[in-house]
Amino acid sequence: MTALFTDRPGGRTSVRLRRFAGALGRFLGAVVLTYLGLLAVTFFIGRVIPIDPVLAIVGDRAPEHVIQRVREELGLNLPLWKQFVIYLGKVLQGDFGTSVLSSNPVMQDIRRVFPATLELATLGTVIGAGIGIPLGVWAAVRRGGIADQLVRVMALIGYSVPIFWLGLMALVVFYARLGWVGGPGRIDVVYEYTVTPWSGIMLLDTAIAGEWEAFANALSHLILPASLLGYFSMAYISRMTRSFMLNELAQEYIVTARAKGLSESRIIWRHALRNAAVPLVTVVALSYAGLLEGSVLTETVFAWPGLGLYITNSLQNADMNAVLGGTIVVGSVFIGLNLLSDLLYRTLDPRTRAR
Amino acid sequence: MSILLDVQNLKVAFPNRDGDYVEAVRGVSFALGRERLGIVGESGSGKSQTGRAILGLTAPQARVSADRLTFDGIDLLKASPAERRALRGARIGMVLQDPKYSLNPVMNVGNQIVEALQAHRKVGDREAREQALAMLAAVQIDRPARVFDLYPHEVSGGMGQRVMIAMMLIAEPDLLIADEPTSALDVTVQLQVLSILDRLVAERGMGLIFISHDLRLVSSFCDRVLVMYAGRVVEEIAAADLGAAQHAYTRGLLSCLPRLGEHRHPLPVLSRDPEWAR
Amino acid sequence: MTEIVRTETSLRAWLMSDRPQSRRQASLGRLYAGWRTFARNRLAIVGLAIIVALVLVAIFADALAPYSPYQGDLTRTRLLPPSAAHWLGTDDQGRDILSRIIHGSRITLLVVVLVAILAAPIGLLVGTVAGYAGGWIDAALMRVTDIFLAFPRLILALAFVAALGPGIENAVIAIALTSWPPYARIARAETLTVRRADYIAAVELMGASSWRIVFRHIMPLCLASVIVRVTLDMAGIILTAAGLGFLGLGAQPPMPEWGALISNGRLYVLDQWWVAAAPGAAIFIVSLAFNLLGDGLRDALDPKAGS
């Protein structure tokens, strides 16, 4: 019998726990390092910009002693590593500086625009995973069938088409020509002030307020950009689902399940997909993160007032604090999603789970 | 003895890359009652594909044909997929080679056994659990309640294979096909698993097809032996008469077995005659 | 006629020989075998044909373009729909869109080639050194790689461009800075599989320096997988460059960069859709071609990886 089984229960658990804690510790260490790297890169970018922050504040006609004083106030006379430490401290407190464009603290701006992006990317992922996973399963089960061809073609198009162009063309067709959906923006101006922005998520706020007309209007604005993002997510998710499922269906335990006389649907969904779900979690998390990124271009096309539009607007106006703040937030969400997918992976796969 | 399984001229062919079919099983015939039949052959001899064809687990792109393939009077070739599925697990079980791969890694072993039962019997969850625990005890697992909750990677090879046997016997089938059930196990555990299998098959009066490459193991364990070579049965013989085997291939396999005190230099090598594959 | 057939078959026999007489024959034979696998994939051939066509269009842009890409007639040819005179219509400055797309192919090709030239060697070097050196060098290099991989690529490129200032050169640098990490990962994985090989041990015994081993004996082996990955990435590079152009951070007007053309057409898209439609279709076709080519190359060079 295995050592695991014959060991005293107490000893077993503590060894496992220690091993799990070790793995988790290493992983968290990697996360912290990655995060430090992210901040180091943004710090570096902030230093190399050709705009002198002092001159930006005092103007280029200021006398020398004023420039000197502002330099000291900004901590620019300190050694680079000290500046980085100060920068770190500020960022970790959520202080990204003040936006030149809006003259608000960047964090306040981001808090205002982030829910719009969250709403868009979340619905996109729901669409992508909701259709992509069943489609990928179907493609793997009926190899060479319609679904398989569809997954292949969709993935090929998804990897080749510029998202902003597809968005523009979709606007032309579904908004301008057919009039099926609302146009750019999150909601018609008429409804703009009928609901209090409680969560910043339009569908939620209108539903809570019971303003169903506004809800329908918000949905008609949301559905096109969300479907667009959903398409890209679906292309990726369905292709990966297909390949994971093909791998699982070729495993020996599937033969066992068949030999037990289980129904095909139980074999596919309960056995094969349950195993494929382990790597799929990472794929869905990555695609969610990818949508946050895709939202930069999509939000520009659809005039969607989210984080992506905020970053691009700030970029075009050389508002570096806002750009770097936005970059850090998106990077943090990326790292957070990685962390989350790793934790989910551990709970889904008993081989990596602590008991 | 009544005939449980009747196989006449079974052929299994797989398409190759050019679309031609290559026969892996080329006209196998035998009949089986509630007895222990061994099928011996080297890898690629078609012994595993014979077992899978009986269960209806041949890969979908392959072609299966036979003059007769009946189980307890049921024509398996004419049976619908649903009918064949109803037979699998309930009336014909199969134990695969390596529990490391043949158990679902993300489902605890207890639920895998329960599932096998509930696929064929209308049994409540509590009752199914009780039966699964009893079955685990029957394959000589000491603390069934504890093993029930373990995942496949947490059990040893020998215990995994006993779980596999429990899973395949819980619905009380009439025939069990064991495809190299002990080849992946340590030698010390092999005998233990075999004796459990032996006892359960005897107690329940089941038929057994024991597929192996190990002639000695098969001859000590089965009543009758089929020797397969290149997709054909080259010899069928009672295990007791193995010493009097006629076919050159069987004698070749037998002479591979070492005997104490025998001078073995150079080691005998199995010579193959292309005639056998005709 | 028969003479030609005979030389053809004998050439083929020479190439396919399982006992090549020289190193050159062996490598040519290998190339030929790879080409045969590749050529069986029709879609990959289509992809290759499109890319060859793109290269030709870029070279002969001046001769092929029916009008000037920069000069338009604001009074008479502004925002015309597609017609016999202007196959893809004209833009808001009265310029012929087809001519602008034809000239834009040069920019697209330039970006792709420059990014590949910049990013692939970085990735190759980082990956092989990390894989060969092992230990803390490996840990440190891979940590840096992971940090870059953990970043959203487009956003990082945006931040770089913001710091460096908009423009096609800076866009290329930004994309290159964000695209090397996957190559480093691949090169490291390949290095790890060969680093314990006997022939590496043999070169080590002969006293070769680490750099010599990395450059002469390990890098060549990693090249194939990196090239495949770069080809598969080309579409992504084109899309990122176009995205930067669309946001006004890549090529600056009046350069006929395809992404910038879409950005320009965006203003009129609801009424004059063709201004934005045509350059987007061009991006799509070229990206598709690179994807098809990359898939074909991957299948030809590494049959295991195909699905």
Side-chain angles (χ1 to χ4, degrees), chain B residues 11-26 58-65:
Chain B
K11 290 178 179 171
V12 182
F14 289 90
N16 64 11
R17 205 178 285 188
D18 305 324
D20 301 331
Y21 279 82
V22 180
E23 289 194 330
V25 179
R26 311 188 301 155
T58 313
Q61 71 271 19
R63 220 165 42 188
V64 180
S65 68

Side-chain angles (χ1 to χ4, degrees), chain A residues 30-31 33-39 41-42 44-46 48-50 143 152 156-165 168-169 171-172 175-177 239 242-243 246 289 292-293 296-297 300-303 311-312 315-316 320 323-324 326-327 330-331 334-335 338, chain C residues 41 43 143 146-156 158-165 235-236 239 242-244 246-249 258-259 262-263 265-266 269-274 276-289 291-292 295 298 307:
Chain A
V31 168
L33 266 177
T34 309
Y35 201 72
L36 275 177
L38 167 81
L39 296 182
V41 171
T42 50
F44 170 74
I45 290 174
V48 297
I49 43 168
R143 228 183 143 172
R152 211 182 126 75
L156 212 49
I157 294 176
Y159 291 140
S160 308
V161 76
I163 188 169
F164 50 96
W165 176 73
L168 280 175
M169 295 300 116
L171 265 181
V172 170
Y175 168 63
R177 294 276 184 276
R239 185 143 182 82
R242 174 188 176 273
S243 104
L246 281 178
L292 285 178
E293 187 176 3
V296 172
L297 291 163
T300 307
V301 171
F302 288 91
I311 292 177
T312 46
L315 264 172
Q316 277 149 4
M320 270 327 268
V323 171
L324 293 179
T327 307
V330 176
F334 255 61
I335 294 171
N338 269 322
Chain C
N41 186 340
L43 286 173
R143 180 52 42 206
D146 282 348
I147 288 170
F148 273 86
L149 272 179
F151 264 109
R153 205 169 133 179
L154 180 68
I155 306 243
L156 188 60
L158 283 180
F160 273 123
V161 173
L164 302 168
L239 292 179
L244 289 175
F246 177 72
L247 294 175
L249 298 165
W258 293 349
I262 300 177
S263 172
R266 191 189 154 206
V269 75
L270 294 185
D271 299 309
Q272 285 90 19
W273 53 269
W274 57 88
I283 298 173
F284 174 50
I285 291 168
V286 172
S287 303
L288 192 65
N291 274 326
L292 293 173
D295 280 344
R298 185 189 55 200
S307 56

Side-chain angles (χ1 to χ4, degrees), chain C residues 86 148 304:
Chain C
H86 299 279
F148 273 86
K304 280 179 308 219

